[in-house]
Amino acid sequence: AKMAEVNESNKPLFAGLSDVSISEDIPVEGEITVPVGSPIQDDEYSTLDEPVKETIMRDLKAVGKKFVHVLYPKKSSALLRDWDLWGPLLLCVTLALMLQGGSADSKDDGGPQFAEVFVIIWFGSVIITLNSKLLGGTISFFQSLCVLGYCIMPLTVAMIVCRLVLLGNSGNIGFIVRFIVVFASFGWSTFASTAFLADSQPPNRKALVVYPVFLFYFVISWMILTFSPS
């Protein structure tokens, strides 16, 4: 019995596999393939072959939806999730052009120059964003720039209204109308921006974040209210 056990232990591990026969009827050929994502799913997210017109229209629709979010501010992550800087750039350029007091060679302009407005808006947005991050905010840098830029829209509309009022009446009644419009737009911009940024800040530091936002929109509102055409 011991000799039999020794002989069994000396046999190769897979010695019995040579006696196994495979029927010729069983197919043994095939292909090894690696599963990949569905081409339909890939095409859904691919815009490389998309016409330029469709790309522009899709971006314009996205910008329009963000304008709607600013008009009806609520605690939504849509403006933060799908951030972009096209809308803020458009609003900044429009506001800067509207605040142009006159020609660049004129020394008696009634308003700031294009570069001054552009720098004030973007530099102020960057400072507010850095302040938010230093206070422990969870919002990203470009998300904050997106929110602050889109919330300039009420003030841009106020600037257009003020220019129209100045064309018709530049007296006391015109000033009162401009003051009411600018004040309402200032409150709307501040309220809309804080509605989007409030949840990204620590509860005990929200006031420290809202105060710079208040000053930022106040400076822009003051430039609009004190504007007088050359």
Side-chain angles (χ1 to χ4, degrees), residues 3-218:
M3 291 298 295
E5 292 178 1
V6 173
N7 292 335
E8 289 291 335
S9 62
N10 290 334
K11 287 184 179 181
L13 182 60
F14 301 103
L17 292 179
S18 60
D19 299 333
V20 178
S21 61
I22 301 177
S23 174
E24 296 181 356
D25 298 335
I26 301 177
V28 294
E29 296 180 355
E31 296 181 358
I32 299 177
T33 58
V34 178
V36 295
S38 173
I40 299 178
Q41 183 178 3
D42 294 340
D43 294 339
E44 185 178 352
Y45 297 98
S46 177
T47 58
L48 295 177
D49 300 330
E50 185 181 47
V52 177
K53 181 181 178 180
E54 293 184 9
T55 303
I56 295 176
M57 292 303 298
R58 187 185 66 251
D59 292 341
L60 289 177
K61 289 180 180 179
V63 171
K65 290 180 180 178
K66 293 182 178 65
F67 284 153
V68 174
H69 281 294
V70 175
L71 290 176
Y72 301 98
K74 58 182 179 180
K75 294 183 178 180
S76 173
S77 60
L79 189 61
L80 301 178
R81 183 180 63 252
D82 303 324
W83 64 268
D84 67 79
L85 299 179
W86 290 114
L89 179 61
L90 176 63
L91 292 172
C92 180
V93 171
T94 303
L95 185 60
L97 290 175
M98 296 295 292
L99 283 171
Q100 280 285 96
S103 62
D105 297 330
S106 177
K107 295 182 180 179
D108 299 325
D109 290 340
Q113 293 300 319
F114 180 89
E116 296 174 358
V117 179
F118 203 85
V119 170
I120 288 174
I121 292 177
W122 287 105
F123 185 74
S125 299
V126 170
I127 293 299
I128 293 175
T129 301
L130 292 177
N131 176 70
S132 174
K133 297 295 291 183
L134 291 175
L135 291 174
T138 57
I139 191 174
S140 70
F141 183 82
F142 290 106
Q143 285 176 333
S144 179
L145 289 181
C146 173
V147 171
L148 294 171
Y150 270 102
C151 290
I152 296 177
M153 188 186 66
L155 293 173
T156 305
V157 174
M159 184 67 228
I160 297 175
V161 174
C162 289
R163 289 297 296 253
L164 295 176
V165 172
L166 287 172
L167 291 176
N169 189 343
S170 58
N172 293 332
I173 297 178
F175 176 79
I176 294 174
V177 173
R178 289 188 293 125
F179 177 82
I180 295 175
V181 172
V182 173
F183 182 79
S185 300
F186 161 71
W188 197 269
S189 294
T190 305
F191 172 73
S193 60
T194 53
F196 291 112
L197 298 177
D199 291 339
S200 63
Q201 305 300 324
N204 57 340
R205 297 180 178 178
K206 289 184 178 181
L208 297 176
V209 176
V210 173
Y211 179 67
V213 175
F214 176 88
L215 291 179
F216 173 66
Y217 291 118
F218 178 80

